[in-house]
Amino acid sequence: AIKNKESIRLFCDYDVDGVTSAAFLTHFFRDIGVSVEYYLPERMKEGYGLNEDAIKLIRKEGASLMITADCGITAVNEVDLALSLGLDVIITDHHQVGSQGLPNAVAVLNPQRSDCQYPYRFLSGVGLAFKLALAVRTSLYKKMGWNKSLLPNMKRHLDLVALGTIADVAPLTGENHVLVRHGLKVLTTTDKAGLVALKTVSDLDNQVNARSVGFALAPRLNAAGRMGKADSGFHLLTSVDLKEATQF
């Protein structure tokens, strides 16, 4: 899709894990010069996960690849519809596989798959987004010949990984412990406009820890989704202008 300059759309859940997943992927694709759009369902009108009307709209607007963030593992019928319309789907989701089995997507990235051999099963949605980005970054270098020195340093976006992982109450063990430990360091000194603004309104000027994320930063983002305005949180986390970010 990157090679052919296809239109890529991110479809995310409206909770903090979903919004940080989409924000993380947006930052990553920006870093490699690939423009992506997003679709965030409205909680009250559309409910959780993929829905047929959204898929039809996304395809109508020209997208040929849709990447889900923190949702989609049970959307067997919706993925079939997408494929029938010419919309490829990549699923990234950490929830349990449904009774219908896996969706017929191009790829399904989920550690809860019965055939998944990955040694750590408790990654959050944003953790899986991080893994997808790492794999894409590696492929750009090894398979497409991109200059490695021009590819982004993924550590700078671990602030979003820590935020989403803690907010989703994922166990802080194993790989999550490593991601969050380093992510909190990045979050403490982050220069992302939205996170700077969010920390300011939360009166967090010093070291950020799991408690301050869980009880100060995450609830403010989660509130937007519960009021049907989760896109405000997404725009906040992807903003590059501090003055603009303070308005969210």
Side-chain angles (χ1 to χ4, degrees):
I2 293 172
K3 183 178 180 180
N4 297 330
K5 301 186 185 302
E6 297 179 30
S7 176
I8 302 172
R9 185 70 59 95
L10 306 174
F11 189 109
C12 64
D13 186 19
Y14 39 68
D15 70 359
V16 179
D17 192 20
V19 173
T20 53
S21 299
F24 173 88
L25 289 173
T26 298
H27 280 286
F28 168 72
F29 282 115
R30 279 179 182 170
D31 287 348
I32 61 174
V34 176
S35 177
V36 296
E37 301 293 334
Y38 82 101
Y39 187 96
L40 208 164
E42 188 172 330
R43 182 188 184 99
M44 300 305 295
K45 291 183 179 180
E46 298 178 79
Y48 170 80
L50 301 178
N51 65 82
E52 293 187 357
D53 288 341
I55 289 171
K56 291 176 182 177
L57 177 62
I58 289 170
R59 180 57 179 148
K60 183 179 180 180
E61 292 178 343
S64 55
L65 172 62
M66 178 173 68
I67 304 173
T68 74
D70 193 35
C71 62
I73 192 61
T74 60
V76 173
N77 295 334
E78 291 80 1
V79 170
D80 284 344
L81 171 63
L83 295 179
S84 72
L85 297 175
L87 178 64
D88 288 336
V89 181
I90 294 174
I91 301 288
T92 72
D93 194 355
H94 66 121
H95 296 100
Q96 293 293 329
V97 178
S99 59
Q100 291 181 278
L102 297 174
N104 187 29
V106 172
V108 178
L109 188 63
N110 187 327
Q112 303 304 326
R113 294 177 55 150
S114 61
D115 60 346
C116 181
Q117 300 299 310
Y118 196 72
Y120 188 72
R121 301 179 64 86
F122 304 109
L123 290 167
S124 62
V126 70
L128 291 175
F130 177 72
K131 291 294 178 179
L132 176 64
L134 282 178
V136 172
R137 184 184 185 278
T138 299
S139 293
L140 292 176
Y141 165 61
K142 291 187 175 181
K143 296 182 180 180
M144 292 180 63
W146 287 36
N147 188 327
K148 190 175 183 179
S149 65
L150 299 179
L151 293 173
N153 181 348
M154 303 298 291
K155 184 177 180 179
R156 62 186 294 263
H157 299 313
L158 285 179
D159 44 11
L160 294 171
V161 177
L163 177 56
T165 300
I166 295 170
D168 214 50
V169 201
L172 300 185
T173 59
E175 196 165 356
N176 282 345
H177 174 79
V178 177
L179 292 172
V180 168
R181 180 182 179 185
H182 290 281
L184 287 174
K185 293 179 181 178
V186 179
L187 185 55
T188 297
T189 60
T190 186
D191 61 357
K192 288 186 176 66
L195 290 177
V196 171
L198 186 61
K199 286 167 58 180
T200 299
V201 77
S202 303
D203 295 323
L204 295 177
D205 297 324
N206 299 316
Q207 182 76 28
V208 178
N209 55 37
R211 180 178 178 82
S212 54
V213 170
F215 290 94
L217 301 180
R220 286 175 166 82
L221 286 172
N222 207 31
R226 294 187 178 279
M227 293 188 296
K229 299 180 179 179
D231 56 338
S232 297
F234 174 83
H235 289 305
L236 175 71
L237 296 180
T238 57
S239 176
V240 295
D241 181 84
L242 184 58
K243 183 177 180 180
E244 175 191 65
T246 58
Q247 303 304 311
F248 294 111

